[in-house]
Amino acid sequence: MEQKGILLESGTNELEIVEFEVSNNKFGINVIKVKEIIQPIPVTFIPHAHPHVEGIVQLRGEVLPVVNMLKVLGIPSGEFSSQQKYIVAEFNKQKVVFHVDNVTQIHRISWDQIEKPSDMYQGGTSQVIGVIKQNNSMILLLDFEKIMVDINPDSGISMESVKKLGKRQRSEKKIVCAEDSPLLRKLLHDTMNEAGYVNLEFFENGRDAYDYLEGLLKSGKKIEEQVQLVITDIEMPQMDGHHLTKKIKSHPELGKLPVIIFSSLITDDLRHKGEEVGAEDQISKPEIAELIIKTDELIL
């Protein structure tokens, strides 16, 4: 499956997901992350690897890790079905293979059809970032960035890269951040604070961030006096980052705000989507130092 031919128009608040199965449970991954789906190939065992990593494979000259989704999801003593597949994915500037039971179909849906998981069943360590109701069943959208950070913490946002920027002055400039992952919200909060940006307002989806910005206009003050920058992820329930950026940039008052898209989905193939909706810049996670340098340029 090649994903190039099914890319959606920018800013429509739609996405396409690849539905796959693990032990008769249905899960989804954004089609933008998927490079191809292949039959399993021989895996080379790696001594002392993370328990979720089966080993490595060679695919078109590249050596890629294979992640066992039965183990990631905590399904005890499970075995893969005869229809098992490898999902070859790319995000956060890394390629990885996810071993699943089967890949079934592709759905085109709107982000506002995706419900946020309840805290009651989600827990603090859940990999589920959204729930999609499909007829009499449900598809769970997984936080693949968290899955990879759990395996390799160095693949996430690193405070060390911020410290290398040197001693920083505190800034009271107001920044609105839209990010649905609790893990990444905390990492972004801590690293931006370390960089001197302490006046942050976080939202877990684009809709809440946009409603907040619109609400500020009622004060009578110019928006640029109240907020100096918006940082947004792309993948978020209710309203994604491209749609949020498009709505901000097409608004007569909010359009003055600079927007940086900070996402694991920033690749050469997809950069045009952020350009089409008017973002000032696009930075790939986990390049937090680049994000801070660009923030400095735009608001200091």
Side-chain angles (χ1 to χ4, degrees):
M1 188 202 81
E2 285 288 337
Q3 48 100 330
K4 300 285 190 300
I6 51 177
L7 292 179
L8 297 161
E9 181 186 343
S10 302
T12 61
N13 208 36
E14 289 183 309
L15 79 157
E16 285 171 316
I17 62 161
V18 176
E19 179 188 323
F20 64 90
E21 294 178 352
V22 181
S23 191
N24 296 317
N25 300 293
K26 295 181 178 182
F27 300 97
I29 179 172
N30 193 333
V31 108
I32 290 175
K33 288 188 168 88
V34 179
K35 303 302 288 182
E36 58 183 324
I37 294 163
I38 61 172
Q39 299 294 335
I41 56 179
V43 175
T44 300
F45 171 76
I46 298 292
H48 309 298
H50 189 281
H52 296 168
V53 176
E54 290 181 22
I56 54 176
V57 294
Q58 183 171 309
L59 188 62
R60 297 187 185 84
E62 289 186 281
V63 176
L64 306 177
V66 178
V67 174
N68 183 315
M69 291 302 291
L70 284 167
K71 292 183 177 178
V72 166
L73 298 168
I75 298 171
S77 62
E79 290 189 3
F80 286 105
S81 72
S82 59
Q83 295 176 297
Q84 61 190 294
K85 297 287 189 298
Y86 280 177
I87 298 176
V88 183
E90 182 176 16
F91 54 92
N92 275 6
K93 296 188 172 179
Q94 60 182 345
K95 279 188 182 175
V96 62
V97 178
F98 294 108
H99 190 177
V100 303
D101 266 324
N102 195 16
V103 175
T104 49
Q105 56 188 312
I106 292 175
H107 302 278
R108 177 178 289 197
I109 57 171
S110 171
W111 280 106
D112 60 18
Q113 293 174 252
I114 301 173
E115 295 185 14
K116 176 181 177 288
S118 161
D119 292 337
M120 183 176 290
Y121 61 77
Q122 182 187 30
T125 58
S126 172
Q127 291 113 345
V128 178
I129 54 171
V131 179
I132 304 162
K133 296 173 186 171
Q134 284 282 324
N135 299 321
N136 295 321
S137 65
M138 290 184 289
I139 301 169
L140 303 181
L141 269 187
L142 295 178
D143 187 346
F144 287 92
E145 286 83 358
K146 183 179 187 304
I147 289 169
M148 294 312 297
V149 169
D150 288 346
I151 292 171
N152 176 22
D154 290 342
S155 67
I157 291 172
S158 165
M159 190 82 78
E160 291 308 308
S161 62
V162 179
K163 290 178 177 173
K164 288 177 184 173
L165 295 175
K167 181 123 179 89
R168 314 271 303 176
Q169 296 296 316
R170 276 172 60 98
S171 170
E172 292 301 325
K173 301 278 189 177
K174 179 70 167 284
I175 300 175
V176 168
C177 304
E179 168 61 66
D180 68 317
S181 165
L183 171 75
L184 287 169
R185 278 201 302 274
K186 184 176 188 315
L187 287 171
L188 198 52
H189 174 273
D190 293 349
T191 47
M192 293 298 281
N193 276 196
E194 177 71 19
Y197 291 106
V198 294
N199 193 359
L200 307 169
E201 191 79 46
F202 279 90
F203 298 92
E204 55 190 35
N205 64 66
R207 175 165 293 163
D208 289 350
Y210 187 78
D211 288 348
Y212 171 78
L213 292 171
E214 269 205 317
L216 292 178
L217 294 174
K218 295 173 183 174
S219 71
K221 292 183 183 176
K222 293 181 179 178
I223 190 65
E224 58 268 34
E225 294 173 0
Q226 302 179 77
V227 175
Q228 284 72 52
L229 177 69
V230 176
I231 296 172
T232 180
D233 189 15
I234 292 176
E235 294 182 290
M236 295 180 291
Q238 301 302 311
M239 185 187 291
D240 73 2
H242 284 139
H243 193 58
L244 170 63
T245 305
K246 186 175 183 178
K247 282 179 74 71
I248 289 171
K249 289 301 181 182
S250 60
H251 192 286
E253 292 298 319
L254 299 181
K256 301 167 187 173
L257 289 175
V259 179
I260 299 177
I261 297 175
F262 184 53
S263 168
S264 62
L265 300 180
I266 306 301
T267 64
D268 290 341
D269 288 340
L270 297 170
R271 191 170 290 278
H272 72 279
K273 294 173 79 70
E275 292 169 353
E276 285 169 11
V277 293
E280 266 68 20
D281 210 337
Q282 302 173 79
I283 297 166
S284 175
K285 292 175 183 172
E287 306 295 342
I288 189 73
E290 283 186 37
L291 176 64
I292 288 161
I293 290 167
K294 180 52 67 171
T295 299
D296 291 349
E297 288 177 13
L298 288 172
I299 69 176
L300 287 186

Short mmCIF file of all heavy atoms in Angstrom, two decimals, residues 64-121:
data_model
loop_
_atom_site.label_atom_id
_atom_site.label_comp_id
_atom_site.label_asym_id
_atom_site.label_seq_id
_atom_site.Cartn_x
_atom_site.Cartn_y
_atom_site.Cartn_z
N LEU A 64 15.83 -2.07 9.99
CA LEU A 64 14.73 -1.49 10.75
C LEU A 64 14.35 -2.38 11.93
O LEU A 64 14.36 -3.61 11.81
CB LEU A 64 13.49 -1.32 9.85
CG LEU A 64 13.67 -0.53 8.55
CD1 LEU A 64 12.37 -0.53 7.76
CD2 LEU A 64 14.14 0.89 8.83
N PRO A 65 13.99 -1.77 13.08
CA PRO A 65 13.53 -2.57 14.21
C PRO A 65 12.09 -3.06 13.97
O PRO A 65 11.29 -2.38 13.35
CB PRO A 65 13.58 -1.58 15.38
CG PRO A 65 13.38 -0.24 14.75
CD PRO A 65 14.01 -0.32 13.38
N VAL A 66 11.80 -4.25 14.51
CA VAL A 66 10.45 -4.81 14.43
C VAL A 66 9.85 -4.80 15.83
O VAL A 66 10.39 -5.39 16.76
CB VAL A 66 10.47 -6.25 13.88
CG1 VAL A 66 9.06 -6.84 13.85
CG2 VAL A 66 11.09 -6.29 12.49
N VAL A 67 8.71 -4.11 15.97
CA VAL A 67 8.04 -3.96 17.26
C VAL A 67 6.85 -4.93 17.32
O VAL A 67 5.99 -4.91 16.44
CB VAL A 67 7.57 -2.51 17.47
CG1 VAL A 67 6.74 -2.38 18.75
CG2 VAL A 67 8.77 -1.57 17.52
N ASN A 68 6.84 -5.76 18.35
CA ASN A 68 5.79 -6.75 18.54
C ASN A 68 4.59 -6.10 19.22
O ASN A 68 4.64 -5.77 20.41
CB ASN A 68 6.34 -7.90 19.40
CG ASN A 68 5.35 -9.02 19.59
OD1 ASN A 68 4.18 -8.80 19.86
ND2 ASN A 68 5.83 -10.25 19.46
N MET A 69 3.50 -5.91 18.49
CA MET A 69 2.35 -5.18 19.02
C MET A 69 1.58 -6.00 20.06
O MET A 69 0.86 -5.42 20.88
CB MET A 69 1.43 -4.73 17.89
CG MET A 69 2.04 -3.63 17.02
SD MET A 69 2.52 -2.15 17.96
CE MET A 69 0.91 -1.50 18.41
N LEU A 70 1.70 -7.32 20.07
CA LEU A 70 1.10 -8.12 21.14
C LEU A 70 1.72 -7.72 22.48
O LEU A 70 1.02 -7.54 23.49
CB LEU A 70 1.32 -9.61 20.89
CG LEU A 70 0.43 -10.28 19.83
CD1 LEU A 70 0.98 -11.64 19.48
CD2 LEU A 70 -1.01 -10.38 20.30
N LYS A 71 3.05 -7.58 22.49
CA LYS A 71 3.74 -7.22 23.73
C LYS A 71 3.51 -5.77 24.11
O LYS A 71 3.32 -5.44 25.28
CB LYS A 71 5.24 -7.52 23.59
CG LYS A 71 5.54 -9.00 23.50
CD LYS A 71 7.02 -9.29 23.43
CE LYS A 71 7.27 -10.79 23.42
NZ LYS A 71 8.71 -11.12 23.31
N VAL A 72 3.49 -4.87 23.12
CA VAL A 72 3.23 -3.46 23.39
C VAL A 72 1.89 -3.28 24.08
O VAL A 72 1.75 -2.51 25.03
CB VAL A 72 3.26 -2.64 22.08
CG1 VAL A 72 2.66 -1.26 22.28
CG2 VAL A 72 4.69 -2.51 21.55
N LEU A 73 0.90 -4.04 23.62
CA LEU A 73 -0.47 -3.89 24.13
C LEU A 73 -0.75 -4.76 25.35
O LEU A 73 -1.87 -4.77 25.86
CB LEU A 73 -1.47 -4.21 23.01
CG LEU A 73 -1.37 -3.26 21.80
CD1 LEU A 73 -2.16 -3.80 20.62
CD2 LEU A 73 -1.84 -1.86 22.16
N GLY A 74 0.27 -5.49 25.79
CA GLY A 74 0.11 -6.27 27.02
C GLY A 74 -0.81 -7.46 26.87
O GLY A 74 -1.49 -7.85 27.83
N ILE A 75 -0.86 -8.05 25.67
CA ILE A 75 -1.71 -9.23 25.46
C ILE A 75 -0.89 -10.47 25.82
O ILE A 75 0.10 -10.78 25.15
CB ILE A 75 -2.20 -9.29 24.00
CG1 ILE A 75 -3.07 -8.05 23.71
CG2 ILE A 75 -2.97 -10.57 23.73
CD1 ILE A 75 -3.45 -7.85 22.27
N PRO A 76 -1.24 -11.16 26.90
CA PRO A 76 -0.39 -12.22 27.42
C PRO A 76 -0.36 -13.46 26.52
O PRO A 76 -1.37 -13.86 25.98
CB PRO A 76 -1.02 -12.55 28.78
CG PRO A 76 -2.44 -12.13 28.65
CD PRO A 76 -2.46 -10.98 27.69
N SER A 77 0.81 -14.02 26.38
CA SER A 77 1.05 -15.29 25.68
C SER A 77 0.28 -15.42 24.37
O SER A 77 -0.20 -16.48 24.00
CB SER A 77 0.70 -16.48 26.59
OG SER A 77 -0.67 -16.46 26.91
N GLY A 78 0.13 -14.30 23.68
CA GLY A 78 -0.59 -14.33 22.41
C GLY A 78 0.32 -14.78 21.28
O GLY A 78 1.54 -14.69 21.35
N GLU A 79 -0.30 -15.27 20.21
CA GLU A 79 0.43 -15.62 19.00
C GLU A 79 -0.23 -14.92 17.83
O GLU A 79 -1.45 -14.73 17.81
CB GLU A 79 0.42 -17.14 18.78
CG GLU A 79 1.26 -17.89 19.80
CD GLU A 79 1.40 -19.36 19.44
OE1 GLU A 79 0.89 -19.74 18.35
OE2 GLU A 79 2.00 -20.10 20.22
N PHE A 80 0.58 -14.56 16.85
CA PHE A 80 0.03 -13.88 15.69
C PHE A 80 -0.73 -14.85 14.80
O PHE A 80 -0.42 -16.04 14.73
CB PHE A 80 1.15 -13.19 14.89
CG PHE A 80 1.70 -11.96 15.56
CD1 PHE A 80 2.93 -11.99 16.20
CD2 PHE A 80 0.98 -10.79 15.57
CE1 PHE A 80 3.43 -10.86 16.83
CE2 PHE A 80 1.46 -9.65 16.20
CZ PHE A 80 2.68 -9.68 16.83
N SER A 81 -1.72 -14.32 14.10
CA SER A 81 -2.56 -15.16 13.23
C SER A 81 -1.82 -15.49 11.94
O SER A 81 -0.74 -14.95 11.65
CB SER A 81 -3.86 -14.42 12.90
OG SER A 81 -3.59 -13.36 12.00
N SER A 82 -2.45 -16.33 11.14
CA SER A 82 -1.85 -16.71 9.86
C SER A 82 -1.87 -15.56 8.86
O SER A 82 -1.19 -15.59 7.84
CB SER A 82 -2.59 -17.91 9.27
OG SER A 82 -3.96 -17.58 9.08
N GLN A 83 -2.67 -14.50 9.16
CA GLN A 83 -2.75 -13.34 8.26
C GLN A 83 -1.83 -12.21 8.69
O GLN A 83 -1.95 -11.09 8.19
CB GLN A 83 -4.20 -12.84 8.23
CG GLN A 83 -5.19 -13.83 7.64
CD GLN A 83 -6.61 -13.30 7.72
OE1 GLN A 83 -7.14 -13.08 8.81
NE2 GLN A 83 -7.23 -13.09 6.57
N GLN A 84 -0.92 -12.48 9.60
CA GLN A 84 -0.07 -11.43 10.17
C GLN A 84 0.61 -10.59 9.10
O GLN A 84 0.92 -11.06 8.01
CB GLN A 84 0.98 -12.07 11.09
CG GLN A 84 1.91 -13.07 10.39
CD GLN A 84 2.75 -13.82 11.38
OE1 GLN A 84 3.58 -13.24 12.04
NE2 GLN A 84 2.53 -15.13 11.48
N LYS A 85 0.83 -9.31 9.46
CA LYS A 85 1.43 -8.35 8.52
C LYS A 85 2.46 -7.50 9.24
O LYS A 85 2.46 -7.38 10.47
CB LYS A 85 0.35 -7.41 7.95
CG LYS A 85 -0.73 -8.10 7.13
CD LYS A 85 -0.24 -8.56 5.79
CE LYS A 85 -1.40 -9.03 4.90
NZ LYS A 85 -2.13 -10.18 5.43
N TYR A 86 3.32 -6.87 8.44
CA TYR A 86 4.25 -5.85 8.93
C TYR A 86 3.77 -4.50 8.40
O TYR A 86 3.61 -4.33 7.18
CB TYR A 86 5.67 -6.10 8.42
CG TYR A 86 6.45 -7.16 9.16
CD1 TYR A 86 7.74 -7.49 8.73
CD2 TYR A 86 5.94 -7.82 10.27
CE1 TYR A 86 8.49 -8.44 9.38
CE2 TYR A 86 6.69 -8.78 10.94
CZ TYR A 86 7.96 -9.10 10.49
OH TYR A 86 8.69 -10.04 11.14
N ILE A 87 3.56 -3.54 9.31
CA ILE A 87 3.28 -2.16 8.91
C ILE A 87 4.58 -1.39 9.01
O ILE A 87 5.13 -1.22 10.10
CB ILE A 87 2.21 -1.52 9.81
CG1 ILE A 87 0.88 -2.27 9.71
CG2 ILE A 87 2.01 -0.05 9.43
CD1 ILE A 87 -0.20 -1.75 10.66
N VAL A 88 5.09 -0.93 7.87
CA VAL A 88 6.34 -0.15 7.84
C VAL A 88 5.94 1.32 7.97
O VAL A 88 5.21 1.86 7.13
CB VAL A 88 7.12 -0.39 6.54
CG1 VAL A 88 8.45 0.38 6.58
CG2 VAL A 88 7.37 -1.88 6.33
N ALA A 89 6.40 1.96 9.05
CA ALA A 89 5.96 3.33 9.35
C ALA A 89 7.17 4.26 9.45
O ALA A 89 8.30 3.82 9.71
CB ALA A 89 5.18 3.36 10.66
N GLU A 90 6.88 5.57 9.26
CA GLU A 90 7.92 6.58 9.42
C GLU A 90 7.33 7.80 10.10
O GLU A 90 6.31 8.34 9.66
CB GLU A 90 8.53 6.98 8.08
CG GLU A 90 9.65 8.02 8.21
CD GLU A 90 10.32 8.35 6.90
OE1 GLU A 90 9.76 8.03 5.83
OE2 GLU A 90 11.43 8.93 6.95
N PHE A 91 7.92 8.23 11.20
CA PHE A 91 7.53 9.45 11.91
C PHE A 91 8.67 9.80 12.85
O PHE A 91 9.54 8.96 13.14
CB PHE A 91 6.20 9.27 12.67
CG PHE A 91 6.18 8.10 13.60
CD1 PHE A 91 6.53 8.23 14.93
CD2 PHE A 91 5.80 6.84 13.14
CE1 PHE A 91 6.52 7.15 15.79
CE2 PHE A 91 5.78 5.75 14.00
CZ PHE A 91 6.14 5.91 15.33
N ASN A 92 8.68 11.03 13.36
CA ASN A 92 9.77 11.49 14.22
C ASN A 92 11.15 11.23 13.61
O ASN A 92 12.11 10.92 14.30
CB ASN A 92 9.71 10.80 15.59
CG ASN A 92 8.77 11.50 16.55
OD1 ASN A 92 8.09 12.43 16.17
ND2 ASN A 92 8.72 11.04 17.78
N LYS A 93 11.21 11.33 12.28
CA LYS A 93 12.48 11.12 11.57
C LYS A 93 13.06 9.73 11.80
O LYS A 93 14.28 9.55 11.82
CB LYS A 93 13.50 12.20 11.95
CG LYS A 93 13.09 13.60 11.53
CD LYS A 93 14.22 14.60 11.74
CE LYS A 93 13.85 15.94 11.15
NZ LYS A 93 14.90 16.95 11.34
N GLN A 94 12.22 8.74 12.01
CA GLN A 94 12.70 7.36 12.17
C GLN A 94 11.74 6.41 11.48
O GLN A 94 10.54 6.69 11.34
CB GLN A 94 12.82 6.99 13.65
CG GLN A 94 11.51 7.08 14.42
CD GLN A 94 11.67 6.76 15.89
OE1 GLN A 94 12.68 6.21 16.32
NE2 GLN A 94 10.67 7.12 16.69
N LYS A 95 12.27 5.27 11.02
CA LYS A 95 11.45 4.23 10.41
C LYS A 95 11.40 3.04 11.35
O LYS A 95 12.37 2.71 12.02
CB LYS A 95 12.04 3.79 9.06
CG LYS A 95 11.69 4.70 7.91
CD LYS A 95 12.14 4.08 6.59
CE LYS A 95 11.84 5.01 5.43
NZ LYS A 95 12.38 4.47 4.17
N VAL A 96 10.23 2.38 11.38
CA VAL A 96 10.04 1.25 12.28
C VAL A 96 9.00 0.33 11.67
O VAL A 96 8.17 0.75 10.86
CB VAL A 96 9.60 1.75 13.68
CG1 VAL A 96 8.27 2.47 13.60
CG2 VAL A 96 9.53 0.62 14.69
N VAL A 97 9.07 -0.96 12.04
CA VAL A 97 8.12 -1.96 11.55
C VAL A 97 7.26 -2.42 12.72
O VAL A 97 7.78 -2.83 13.76
CB VAL A 97 8.86 -3.16 10.93
CG1 VAL A 97 7.85 -4.22 10.48
CG2 VAL A 97 9.73 -2.73 9.77
N PHE A 98 5.93 -2.34 12.56
CA PHE A 98 5.01 -2.83 13.58
C PHE A 98 4.42 -4.16 13.13
O PHE A 98 3.81 -4.26 12.06
CB PHE A 98 3.89 -1.81 13.83
CG PHE A 98 4.38 -0.52 14.42
CD1 PHE A 98 4.43 0.64 13.66
CD2 PHE A 98 4.82 -0.46 15.74
CE1 PHE A 98 4.89 1.84 14.20
CE2 PHE A 98 5.28 0.72 16.28
CZ PHE A 98 5.33 1.87 15.51
N HIS A 99 4.61 -5.21 13.96
CA HIS A 99 4.13 -6.55 13.67
C HIS A 99 2.71 -6.69 14.22
O HIS A 99 2.49 -6.59 15.42
CB HIS A 99 5.07 -7.57 14.33
CG HIS A 99 4.81 -8.98 13.92
ND1 HIS A 99 5.58 -10.04 14.36
CD2 HIS A 99 3.87 -9.54 13.10
CE1 HIS A 99 5.12 -11.16 13.83
NE2 HIS A 99 4.09 -10.88 13.07
N VAL A 100 1.72 -6.91 13.33
CA VAL A 100 0.32 -6.97 13.73
C VAL A 100 -0.31 -8.26 13.18
O VAL A 100 0.28 -8.95 12.34
CB VAL A 100 -0.46 -5.73 13.23
CG1 VAL A 100 0.19 -4.45 13.74
CG2 VAL A 100 -0.56 -5.70 11.70
N ASP A 101 -1.54 -8.55 13.62
CA ASP A 101 -2.24 -9.76 13.17
C ASP A 101 -2.73 -9.64 11.74
O ASP A 101 -2.64 -10.57 10.95
CB ASP A 101 -3.43 -10.06 14.08
CG ASP A 101 -3.07 -11.02 15.20
OD1 ASP A 101 -2.26 -11.93 14.94
OD2 ASP A 101 -3.59 -10.87 16.30
N ASN A 102 -3.30 -8.50 11.41
CA ASN A 102 -3.88 -8.34 10.08
C ASN A 102 -4.12 -6.86 9.82
O ASN A 102 -4.30 -6.08 10.75
CB ASN A 102 -5.20 -9.10 9.97
CG ASN A 102 -5.66 -9.26 8.52
OD1 ASN A 102 -4.89 -9.06 7.59
ND2 ASN A 102 -6.93 -9.60 8.33
N VAL A 103 -4.10 -6.47 8.56
CA VAL A 103 -4.49 -5.12 8.14
C VAL A 103 -5.75 -5.26 7.31
O VAL A 103 -5.78 -6.04 6.35
CB VAL A 103 -3.36 -4.44 7.33
CG1 VAL A 103 -3.83 -3.09 6.80
CG2 VAL A 103 -2.12 -4.27 8.19
N THR A 104 -6.81 -4.55 7.68
CA THR A 104 -8.12 -4.83 7.09
C THR A 104 -8.58 -3.81 6.07
O THR A 104 -8.93 -4.16 4.95
CB THR A 104 -9.17 -4.97 8.21
OG1 THR A 104 -9.06 -3.87 9.11
CG2 THR A 104 -8.96 -6.26 8.99
N GLN A 105 -8.57 -2.52 6.42
CA GLN A 105 -9.12 -1.53 5.49
C GLN A 105 -8.65 -0.13 5.86
O GLN A 105 -7.99 0.08 6.87
CB GLN A 105 -10.64 -1.58 5.48
CG GLN A 105 -11.29 -1.38 6.84
CD GLN A 105 -12.78 -1.62 6.80
OE1 GLN A 105 -13.47 -1.10 5.91
NE2 GLN A 105 -13.30 -2.39 7.74
N ILE A 106 -9.02 0.82 5.00
CA ILE A 106 -8.72 2.23 5.23
C ILE A 106 -10.04 2.98 5.42
O ILE A 106 -11.00 2.75 4.69
CB ILE A 106 -7.93 2.84 4.07
CG1 ILE A 106 -6.51 2.22 4.00
CG2 ILE A 106 -7.81 4.34 4.20
CD1 ILE A 106 -5.70 2.68 2.82
N HIS A 107 -10.09 3.85 6.42
CA HIS A 107 -11.27 4.68 6.67
C HIS A 107 -10.90 6.14 6.49
O HIS A 107 -9.85 6.58 6.95
CB HIS A 107 -11.78 4.52 8.10
CG HIS A 107 -12.13 3.11 8.48
ND1 HIS A 107 -13.33 2.52 8.17
CD2 HIS A 107 -11.41 2.17 9.15
CE1 HIS A 107 -13.35 1.29 8.63
NE2 HIS A 107 -12.20 1.04 9.23
N ARG A 108 -11.79 6.90 5.86
CA ARG A 108 -11.65 8.36 5.82
C ARG A 108 -12.65 8.92 6.83
O ARG A 108 -13.84 8.67 6.73
CB ARG A 108 -11.94 8.91 4.44
CG ARG A 108 -11.88 10.45 4.40
CD ARG A 108 -12.10 11.01 3.02
NE ARG A 108 -10.98 10.73 2.15
CZ ARG A 108 -10.74 11.38 1.00
NH1 ARG A 108 -11.53 12.35 0.61
NH2 ARG A 108 -9.71 11.05 0.25
N ILE A 109 -12.16 9.66 7.79
CA ILE A 109 -13.03 10.20 8.84
C ILE A 109 -12.61 11.64 9.14
O ILE A 109 -11.57 12.11 8.71
CB ILE A 109 -12.95 9.36 10.14
CG1 ILE A 109 -11.51 9.30 10.63
CG2 ILE A 109 -13.52 7.98 9.95
CD1 ILE A 109 -11.36 8.68 12.00
N SER A 110 -13.47 12.31 9.91
CA SER A 110 -13.15 13.65 10.38
C SER A 110 -12.58 13.55 11.80
O SER A 110 -12.99 12.68 12.57
CB SER A 110 -14.41 14.52 10.38
OG SER A 110 -14.16 15.75 11.03
N TRP A 111 -11.68 14.45 12.13
CA TRP A 111 -11.11 14.45 13.48
C TRP A 111 -12.18 14.67 14.53
O TRP A 111 -12.04 14.23 15.67
CB TRP A 111 -10.03 15.53 13.60
CG TRP A 111 -8.71 15.12 13.03
CD1 TRP A 111 -8.14 15.55 11.86
CD2 TRP A 111 -7.77 14.20 13.60
NE1 TRP A 111 -6.92 14.95 11.67
CE2 TRP A 111 -6.66 14.12 12.72
CE3 TRP A 111 -7.76 13.42 14.76
CZ2 TRP A 111 -5.56 13.30 12.97
CZ3 TRP A 111 -6.65 12.61 15.01
CH2 TRP A 111 -5.57 12.55 14.12
N ASP A 112 -13.28 15.33 14.18
CA ASP A 112 -14.30 15.56 15.20
C ASP A 112 -15.14 14.31 15.48
O ASP A 112 -15.97 14.31 16.38
CB ASP A 112 -15.19 16.77 14.88
CG ASP A 112 -15.95 16.64 13.58
OD1 ASP A 112 -16.08 15.50 13.07
OD2 ASP A 112 -16.43 17.66 13.06
N GLN A 113 -14.91 13.23 14.72
CA GLN A 113 -15.54 11.94 15.02
C GLN A 113 -14.72 11.14 16.03
O GLN A 113 -15.18 10.09 16.49
CB GLN A 113 -15.69 11.10 13.75
CG GLN A 113 -16.66 11.65 12.73
CD GLN A 113 -16.63 10.84 11.45
OE1 GLN A 113 -16.14 11.28 10.42
NE2 GLN A 113 -17.14 9.63 11.52
N ILE A 114 -13.54 11.62 16.36
CA ILE A 114 -12.66 10.88 17.26
C ILE A 114 -12.84 11.38 18.68
O ILE A 114 -12.65 12.56 18.96
CB ILE A 114 -11.18 11.02 16.82
CG1 ILE A 114 -11.01 10.51 15.40
CG2 ILE A 114 -10.26 10.27 17.77
CD1 ILE A 114 -9.64 10.75 14.81
N GLU A 115 -13.23 10.50 19.55
CA GLU A 115 -13.47 10.87 20.94
C GLU A 115 -12.20 10.69 21.77
O GLU A 115 -11.44 9.74 21.58
CB GLU A 115 -14.59 10.00 21.54
CG GLU A 115 -15.94 10.24 20.88
CD GLU A 115 -17.05 9.46 21.56
OE1 GLU A 115 -16.82 8.96 22.69
OE2 GLU A 115 -18.13 9.36 20.97
N LYS A 116 -12.01 11.61 22.70
CA LYS A 116 -10.88 11.49 23.64
C LYS A 116 -11.18 10.34 24.60
O LYS A 116 -12.30 10.22 25.10
CB LYS A 116 -10.72 12.80 24.41
CG LYS A 116 -9.65 12.78 25.48
CD LYS A 116 -9.60 14.12 26.19
CE LYS A 116 -8.58 14.11 27.32
NZ LYS A 116 -9.02 13.29 28.47
N PRO A 117 -10.18 9.48 24.89
CA PRO A 117 -10.44 8.40 25.84
C PRO A 117 -10.71 8.93 27.24
O PRO A 117 -10.13 9.93 27.66
CB PRO A 117 -9.15 7.58 25.82
CG PRO A 117 -8.20 8.27 24.93
CD PRO A 117 -8.84 9.47 24.34
N SER A 118 -11.61 8.28 27.94
CA SER A 118 -11.93 8.67 29.31
C SER A 118 -10.77 8.36 30.24
O SER A 118 -10.10 7.34 30.11
CB SER A 118 -13.17 7.90 29.78
OG SER A 118 -13.28 7.92 31.18
N ASP A 119 -10.53 9.26 31.20
CA ASP A 119 -9.47 9.02 32.19
C ASP A 119 -9.74 7.76 32.99
O ASP A 119 -8.80 7.11 33.47
CB ASP A 119 -9.36 10.22 33.15
CG ASP A 119 -8.83 11.46 32.45
OD1 ASP A 119 -8.17 11.30 31.40
OD2 ASP A 119 -9.10 12.58 32.92
N MET A 120 -11.00 7.38 33.12
CA MET A 120 -11.34 6.24 33.95
C MET A 120 -10.74 4.95 33.40
O MET A 120 -10.21 4.12 34.13
CB MET A 120 -12.86 6.09 34.06
CG MET A 120 -13.30 4.97 34.98
SD MET A 120 -15.09 4.91 35.16
CE MET A 120 -15.36 6.41 36.12
N TYR A 121 -10.82 4.76 32.06
CA TYR A 121 -10.28 3.52 31.51
C TYR A 121 -8.93 3.72 30.83
O TYR A 121 -8.24 2.77 30.50
CB TYR A 121 -11.27 2.87 30.53
CG TYR A 121 -11.65 3.70 29.32
CD1 TYR A 121 -10.79 3.85 28.24
CD2 TYR A 121 -12.90 4.32 29.24
CE1 TYR A 121 -11.14 4.58 27.13
CE2 TYR A 121 -13.26 5.06 28.13
CZ TYR A 121 -12.38 5.18 27.07
OH TYR A 121 -12.73 5.92 25.97
#
